Amino acid sequence: MQLDDSRIVAYFVRHGTTILNQQDAFRGPIDAPLDAEGIRDAHKVATLLEPIEVSYIFHSDKKRTKKTAEIISSHKPDVEVFANQNLSAWNVGDLGGKPKSEENIQVVEYHVEHPDVPIPGGESLNSFRERVRPLLQDAIEMGLHARIPPLLVVHSSVIHELGTMIGGNHEYTLVEPGGVAVAYVDKGKLDAEPIFRPRPETGLKRHEIVT
């Protein structure tokens, strides 16, 4: 899976689907487990990644990332697995579990356009970025210096941030549930791209592709 003339420094796996994905509802702070399709997603990506050497596996404290990480790690019994609550999705507070209706998306739109304002019951977009981006940077630094990439099992909102941070576009690294994006170095330049189950770019704003 090594990219031509480049070196992968970190893998980012989006967890498999949950019932809230199927209902097109906000996940965010809800601790929804993987559904049957999500379990299949996890096994598919675990099989894909089985021959790939990784240094560590990290995941958030949510059931959906933990289970995905456990299934991946079952194919890598010698790799240590760690939970980090700061890898959790953007906490959309009172919107958690609610449908992505036009009214609710307008709420997200407001908070994307006013990133210092917390979503009621949750956190601001900038607060989310302040806790997630250092972990993404640490993972990339780990892969750069150790030459064996770590693997992070994360949420779609974290994948959005990876794309924004490296590519300047929140859609830059988007993948479907169970998909994989990578950060890599090419001719001395850091870049990123989706490599498994990429989600085609739509040109929509972030609030229109909500977590």
Side-chain angles (χ1 to χ4, degrees):
M1 197 179 298
Q2 197 78 359
L3 302 178
D4 292 341
D5 300 318
S6 65
R7 179 166 66 89
I8 293 174
V9 296
Y11 291 88
F12 301 90
V13 177
R14 181 179 171 185
H15 66 76
T17 61
T18 71
I19 189 66
L20 293 178
N21 291 85
Q22 306 299 341
Q23 295 173 349
D24 197 28
F26 294 96
R27 280 89 64 193
I30 304 299
D31 198 9
L34 297 179
D35 59 14
E37 182 176 348
I39 296 290
R40 291 192 292 270
D41 291 337
H43 280 288
K44 287 178 182 177
V45 74
T47 299
L48 175 78
L49 295 170
E50 184 170 9
I52 305 302
E53 185 179 15
V54 299
S55 56
Y56 299 97
I57 297 173
F58 299 96
H59 61 85
S60 79
D61 59 352
K62 295 294 188 284
K63 293 175 183 176
R64 53 195 184 274
T65 56
K66 180 180 179 182
K67 184 63 176 179
T68 302
E70 287 175 349
I71 291 172
I72 293 171
S73 69
S74 70
H75 292 248
K76 300 180 180 297
D78 296 327
V79 177
E80 292 184 271
V81 181
F82 298 94
N84 189 322
Q85 65 180 5
N86 285 333
L87 282 173
S88 293
W90 181 15
N91 184 350
V92 292
D94 297 346
L95 291 177
K98 293 184 178 179
K100 295 177 181 178
S101 64
E102 182 176 350
E103 179 182 1
N104 288 336
I105 289 175
Q106 287 176 352
V107 174
V108 177
E109 176 181 4
Y110 176 83
H111 291 280
V112 169
E113 294 178 351
H114 300 81
D116 289 320
V117 179
I119 292 181
E123 65 183 337
S124 70
L125 180 57
N126 278 344
S127 291
F128 164 68
R129 287 171 168 161
E130 287 170 2
R131 67 172 168 84
V132 165
R133 286 192 175 197
L135 299 179
L136 301 181
Q137 292 167 345
D138 285 348
I140 290 167
E141 288 290 330
M142 184 182 300
L144 285 170
H145 295 298
R147 301 194 69 82
I148 301 175
L151 184 152
L152 285 68
V153 183
V154 296
H155 305 263
S156 61
S157 54
V158 177
I159 299 289
H160 278 282
E161 279 313 304
L162 176 69
T164 301
M165 191 173 77
I166 296 180
N169 178 353
H170 73 98
E171 292 193 83
Y172 196 66
T173 52
L174 284 192
V175 292
E176 301 291 348
V180 182
V182 295
Y184 65 97
V185 173
D186 185 13
K187 299 177 182 177
K189 180 182 177 182
L190 180 67
D191 206 345
E193 66 178 67
I195 62 169
F196 181 60
R197 291 187 175 176
R199 183 171 180 171
E201 290 193 23
T202 64
L204 297 176
K205 295 180 180 179
R206 180 163 180 161
H207 69 268
E208 297 173 295
I209 308 175
V210 286
T211 181

